Amino acid sequence: MVWRLLVRRCPTRSFTVVGDAAQTSEAAGSASWSEALEPFFGTRWRMEQLTVNYRTPAEIMGVADRVLAAIDPALEPATAVRAAGVAPVREHAPRSRLASRLAELVAVESKRTRDGRIAVLVPQADLDRLAEAVRAEVPDASWGPDPDLERGVVVLTVRQAKGLEFDSVVLVDPQAVLDASPRGLSDLYVALTRASRRLLVLHPGRIPAVLEDLPEGGNGKNTRKAGKG
């Protein structure tokens, strides 16, 4: 329906469209550009592949690319042009301690990033509970239907975070993110690519197979890695 609306408003049917099909979350969304465009434009369209990633560092893209391949092996990842020097890590926290451990990690990360911005990405079902735990340690943290994105710490669902960028991201319970959506891998890909520097994955149960290669961390300390800047 959105495409129909756009076509009616532009009778010449001349568009420049930018997007990433791998980030399609809705079950009814198109899985490819041909699926989206051919019903309206036939073969009268051309695709240019963007091949350079300026935002997400190579360490994080190494993880995200495995998710991209799981979504569709034919999708070609963009090449990250920089390294952050900080490897993404995962940490296991029992469900009984998940909220308190999350709050501890976010408090440490908030001090580490100083004037930077941190996103805590959580499953929709746990948003309020986990956000309240975070705010007990970081009183300035924001969340809700219309969160204040200028705050140093914001607690969001993955869909709220789509299109946004943060210095650090703490992703909570990636298996629940996968299970809650018919296109869970796409939601996971979105979550992993929001950070411009640091990524920590906190999981209470099993971690998705596509994230098993993440090194284990702890106590808020990320493994450092030498890299070319």
Side-chain angles (χ1 to χ4, degrees):
M1 293 302 295
V2 173
W3 282 113
R4 291 180 185 277
L5 181 149
L6 291 172
V7 168
R8 287 178 180 176
R9 288 175 177 262
C10 184
T12 63
R13 299 193 179 188
S14 177
F15 297 90
T16 298
V17 183
V18 181
D20 185 352
Q23 297 186 34
T24 302
S25 297
E26 300 296 336
S30 300
S32 68
W33 284 112
S34 59
E35 184 180 325
L37 299 176
E38 285 180 4
F40 305 98
F41 305 102
T43 59
R44 300 183 307 278
W45 61 280
R46 183 180 75 246
M47 183 171 74
E48 295 290 339
Q49 184 82 26
L50 301 180
T51 60
V52 179
N53 185 337
Y54 294 97
R55 181 183 68 193
T56 314
E59 296 91 342
I60 295 176
M61 283 310 301
V63 179
D65 287 349
R66 292 196 290 275
V67 179
L68 186 67
I71 294 170
D72 184 350
L75 293 172
E76 203 169 316
T79 301
V81 297
R82 66 182 181 87
V86 184
V89 297
R90 64 183 172 101
E91 180 179 331
H92 176 265
R95 194 164 294 278
S96 60
R97 288 203 65 242
L98 182 65
S100 60
R101 181 57 182 148
L102 172 63
E104 293 169 1
L105 288 174
V106 174
V108 170
E109 193 66 18
S110 181
K111 292 177 182 178
R112 178 184 284 127
T113 59
R114 299 182 182 177
D115 295 330
R117 294 194 305 151
I118 302 168
V120 183
L121 305 185
V122 304
Q124 175 70 58
D126 292 328
L127 175 61
D128 290 342
R129 179 177 69 89
L130 295 178
E132 288 170 359
V134 169
R135 197 153 73 173
E137 289 286 340
V138 185
D140 193 44
S142 179
W143 88 92
D146 188 23
D148 183 355
L149 298 176
E150 297 300 318
R151 300 283 183 91
V153 176
V154 60
V155 185
L156 305 168
T157 66
V158 175
R159 294 197 180 191
Q160 285 179 308
K162 185 177 286 191
L164 302 179
E165 176 183 334
F166 303 90
D167 296 280
S168 296
V169 166
V170 182
L171 172 59
V172 183
D173 201 351
Q175 187 62 51
V177 171
L178 277 176
D179 295 342
S181 168
R183 289 188 169 173
L185 282 170
S186 294
D187 283 344
L188 185 57
Y189 182 70
V190 169
L192 294 172
T193 53
R194 297 307 93 198
S196 63
R197 180 164 175 79
R198 301 171 63 87
L199 171 67
L200 170 64
V201 177
L202 187 64
H203 57 104
R206 74 182 190 278
I207 195 162
V210 289
L211 299 182
E212 286 179 347
D213 289 343
L214 272 174
E216 294 187 18
N219 301 316
K221 296 178 181 179
N222 274 12
T223 305
R224 294 196 67 82
K225 223 188 218 185
K228 296 179 181 179

